[in-house]
Amino acid sequence: MMKKAFPVYDICSLADHQHSDLLISRFAPYLQKHQNLSLPHKHTFYHVVFFTKGSGKHSIDFKYFPVEPHQIYFMSPGQVHRWSFEGPVDGYIINFSAEFFQSFLLRPDYLESLPFFTGNVDDEVINISADKQLQVTALFEQLIAESHGPGHMAMDMIRALMLQLFILVARHGVYSSQNTTPNYNYTLLQSFKKLTDKNFATLRLPKDYAALLYITPNHLNALCNDMLGIPAGEVIRNRVILEAKRLLVNLDLNITEIASKLNFADNSYFTKFFKKYTGLTPEDFRKNPIAQ
């Protein structure tokens, strides 16, 4: 029997009722019900949390952030996440599938055009300024009310409120990519990132991705250097290292199995690769991933 690579949750497994596309809740009762989510895990859905009180820390793909009131964070499917709270925490949570949100839009890629859903962890955690806190809180309260009432066209109202929330926060945030307009270079870079997400285990060279994008390797490198400040090869390596970290926190998998999943020829080659780019052996990272 093949071992699961990682604890993965869908919306049904976290909801009282079997709605596969949407869960909206106040955060405190959700946290009480799902205390196991303090351990590293993945979601198959989009995940939004707005804290109104609390402290501690949370991580997205091994980058840690302090929990603060009026902080909102966004996660895309597949990212690894964990919480470590100190004292009472409250706020709001929305879990939703891409299909739920996109079902009334003509643009199926709309979510990916939002700067906090592009997979860049630095853009996914936003502290809402005092002048917008009441507006954001009011939208979450409306979402809670619509999700608990049998109102006419409630699901469409929820979608409209979510869209309003996302646009409000997208306007409000300061993002690492200053130009989020989907121009040619931005779209090309997003296509490259999507391809690395799908193929990082088997395609390791920039020329492989350049061929899939119908551009030259020099063009791809120039694009990554201009927009990310790193060459294309480093983008690919970073994606391999991220997946290695995601797998290493699952103690059910041994190092040999992880090396195999990542398509390394043997355990030794994987260990050398991981240590070269992180400064740690896989075993050292596994002992204390929180410190990294």
Side-chain angles (χ1 to χ4, degrees), residues 5 46 63 81 93 128 144 189 255 262:
Y46 288 89
K63 181 150 190 170
H81 181 225
I93 183 166
I128 303 297
I144 290 282
L189 182 64
I255 305 298
L262 295 173

Side-chain angles (χ1 to χ4, degrees), residues 176-194:
S176 58
S177 174
Q178 292 303 309
N179 181 12
T180 56
T181 306
N183 59 27
Y184 173 73
N185 281 341
Y186 178 82
T187 303
L188 192 59
L189 182 64
Q190 291 307 111
S191 296
F192 173 48
K193 286 182 175 180
K194 284 183 192 175

Side-chain angles (χ1 to χ4, degrees), residues 10 15 87 93 158 168 180 192 202 239 277:
D10 60 25
I93 183 166
I158 285 171
L168 177 66
T180 56
F192 173 48
T202 53
R239 184 62 185 83
Y277 294 109

Side-chain angles (χ1 to χ4, degrees), residues 61-190:
D61 277 341
F62 308 97
K63 181 150 190 170
Y64 283 79
F65 302 89
V67 172
E68 298 175 17
H70 304 113
Q71 178 191 86
I72 190 167
Y73 75 81
F74 299 83
M75 278 182 50
S76 299
Q79 292 186 296
V80 170
H81 181 225
R82 72 177 300 170
W83 295 316
S84 176
F85 296 126
E86 297 167 7
V89 183
D90 206 356
Y92 307 88
I93 183 166
I94 308 172
N95 295 334
F96 67 98
S97 70
E99 292 74 18
F100 173 81
F101 185 75
Q102 290 165 352
S103 61
F104 78 145
L105 294 175
L106 288 174
R107 285 178 54 190
D109 64 342
Y110 188 82
L111 284 167
E112 293 166 11
S113 75
L114 295 165
F116 39 74
F117 280 139
T118 60
N120 185 343
V121 173
D122 289 325
D123 291 337
E124 294 177 352
V125 179
I126 299 145
N127 292 314
I128 303 297
S129 62
D131 64 321
K132 293 288 188 292
Q133 289 166 11
L134 287 176
Q135 200 173 352
V136 170
T137 302
L139 284 167
F140 276 104
E141 282 294 334
Q142 286 178 270
L143 282 161
I144 290 282
E146 290 291 340
S147 69
H148 290 150
H152 179 54
M153 301 179 73
M155 291 298 106
D156 284 344
M157 180 59 84
I158 285 171
R159 292 181 180 98
L161 290 166
M162 286 168 60
L163 182 59
Q164 192 176 342
L165 174 69
F166 295 162
I167 292 171
L168 177 66
V169 177
R171 284 176 167 179
H172 178 74
V174 177
Y175 304 102
S176 58
S177 174
Q178 292 303 309
N179 181 12
T180 56
T181 306
N183 59 27
Y184 173 73
N185 281 341
Y186 178 82
T187 303
L188 192 59
L189 182 64
Q190 291 307 111

